[in-house]
Amino acid sequence: MGRTTWFDDAGLKKGEWTAEEDRMLVAYINEYGLGDWRAMPKRAGLQRCGKSCRLRWLNYLRPGIKRSKFTPEEEEDIIKFHSLLGNRWAAIAKQMPNRTDNGIKNHWHSCLKKRLVRSGIDPMTHEPIVNVKATSSSTTSSRTLTSSSSSYSSTSSARLLNRLAALISSRKHGLDRIKNVILSEPRQAVEEDKLMISSKEEEEVHGFMEIDDNLISTTSLDALLFYSSTTTTAGFVAAFDDCSLVAPYDLYQSDFYHETDDQLDRFLDIHSLAQEDLS
DNA sequence: AACCTTCGCAACCGCAAGGAT
DNA sequence: CATCCTTGCGGTTGCGAAGGT
């Protein structure tokens, strides 16, 4: 299988790699090592762009890459890590030795995602696909939403939490201070009449959510630091006591986890802390 | 046997972060 | 400080193989 070979305007070859090209790339890297992907193809005698060489090396030629079928255990791991990390394929790949981000991503899209849907699991939230409106005694002001509507917010929330996590971790911000401000509390169902968020607060939250992802991940959660939910989704940041690792975890669960004013205050507090750190 | 659909996966593209200048 | 360049990531596409009708 493979893509049709063609040449772009700059005369660079695109499409399927030949065995000879593979051999040339491997021989060059074995002799001169990695680095400067832009210059590499010319030096290696390849009519390819650096990007193409890099991709070929990382996803196919690099030693130790496992291209066999995913085992049931690996599939379970992918699902587990996806529930923790979302579509961060590179981060997931780091947890799975010898598997590439591309391979994991392909397997997710072609197989695992569909399998979850068939099992009645929302592949974005990893929660049962349910229409919470139907089961909720909601009022018009409540923020209950169906699972399927959470995609964007879920990702954004995870990004925000990642950013906060990274800030805390990279600066070794005093964990005690964070804890004092945030005060973790057991997750519990929240009455719907506590769900109101003013439009100004919501704007602030969403504004901050634009900050880009900066992930530091781990697979186990030792200490709950921060629980937050925005209008449609929930998540929390957890950290080890030494602040060395911080993990985001998307917790969207239909109408179970919701924002309270108290939680929002804490959310904004850590927002301020993060801003202080930035400045 | 021919056609169609789905699957699996390599490879491409656009975008953004971060370093270099 | 601004701009450019390189690298890395995630989404998407293209295509042969496999399976179904």
Side-chain angles (χ1 to χ4, degrees), chain A residues 44-55:
Chain A
L46 290 160
Q47 273 185 286
R48 295 273 181 176
C49 66
K51 206 169 179 175
S52 179
C53 291
R54 178 184 165 273
L55 202 67

Side-chain angles (χ1 to χ4, degrees), chain A residues 3 33 64 76 94 115 124 273:
Chain A
R3 294 192 172 206
E76 269 182 41
K94 279 177 189 154
R115 186 187 300 170
M124 288 306 295
L273 273 178

Side-chain angles (χ1 to χ4, degrees), chain A residues 10 64 68 83 125 128 146 188 205 214 225 269:
Chain A
S68 54
S83 74
T125 64
T146 60
Q188 54 188 319
V205 172
N214 187 355
L225 267 187
D269 279 342

Side-chain angles (χ1 to χ4, degrees), chain A residues 82-278:
Chain A
H82 187 270
S83 74
L84 293 168
L85 301 167
N87 293 356
R88 294 187 196 77
W89 308 114
I92 293 172
K94 279 177 189 154
Q95 311 286 347
M96 302 183 67
N98 304 326
R99 292 294 186 183
T100 67
D101 54 354
N102 209 32
I104 292 168
K105 178 173 59 180
N106 283 336
H107 194 57
W108 171 262
H109 285 304
S110 66
C111 180
L112 299 180
K113 190 165 79 174
K114 291 169 189 169
R115 186 187 300 170
L116 286 178
V117 170
R118 279 197 299 272
S119 308
I121 303 292
D122 185 326
M124 288 306 295
T125 64
H126 294 264
E127 296 298 335
I129 299 170
V130 291
N131 185 341
V132 297
K133 289 269 187 205
T135 59
S136 157
S137 59
S138 65
T139 63
T140 52
S141 64
S142 79
R143 297 187 180 277
T144 45
L145 291 165
T146 60
S147 297
S148 59
S149 68
S150 68
S151 174
Y152 170 77
S153 296
S154 165
T155 304
S156 299
S157 179
R159 287 187 166 204
L160 165 64
L161 296 170
N162 286 341
R163 179 61 178 169
L164 293 172
L167 280 167
I168 294 164
S169 179
S170 64
R171 299 305 183 96
K172 305 280 188 211
H173 213 308
L175 190 57
D176 287 341
R177 186 182 174 199
I178 304 283
K179 279 178 173 170
N180 287 338
V181 173
I182 297 160
L183 297 177
S184 62
E185 68 179 15
R187 305 194 305 275
Q188 54 188 319
V190 177
E191 298 290 326
E192 286 192 356
D193 60 4
K194 292 182 184 172
L195 303 180
M196 293 300 295
I197 301 173
S198 75
S199 58
K200 184 174 181 301
E201 287 167 330
E202 187 174 324
E203 195 178 304
E204 283 189 58
V205 172
H206 281 291
F208 193 49
M209 285 169 72
E210 294 301 314
I211 290 177
D212 289 310
D213 186 9
N214 187 355
L215 172 68
I216 296 172
S217 65
T218 181
T219 57
S220 61
L221 310 177
D222 278 357
L224 179 64
L225 267 187
F226 174 48
Y227 166 69
S228 156
S229 67
T230 60
T231 54
T232 63
T233 187
F236 64 80
V237 174
F240 291 109
D241 277 342
D242 64 0
C243 284
S244 61
L245 288 168
V246 185
Y249 186 33
D250 227 344
L251 272 184
Y252 178 79
Q253 258 197 9
S254 62
D255 62 346
F256 193 73
Y257 298 110
H258 276 289
E259 189 69 77
T260 64
D261 290 343
D262 187 38
Q263 285 165 341
L264 181 62
D265 284 345
R266 293 177 198 156
F267 182 97
L268 294 174
D269 279 342
I270 195 164
H271 179 181
S272 300
L273 273 178
Q275 296 288 45
E276 271 180 47
D277 250 345
L278 279 172

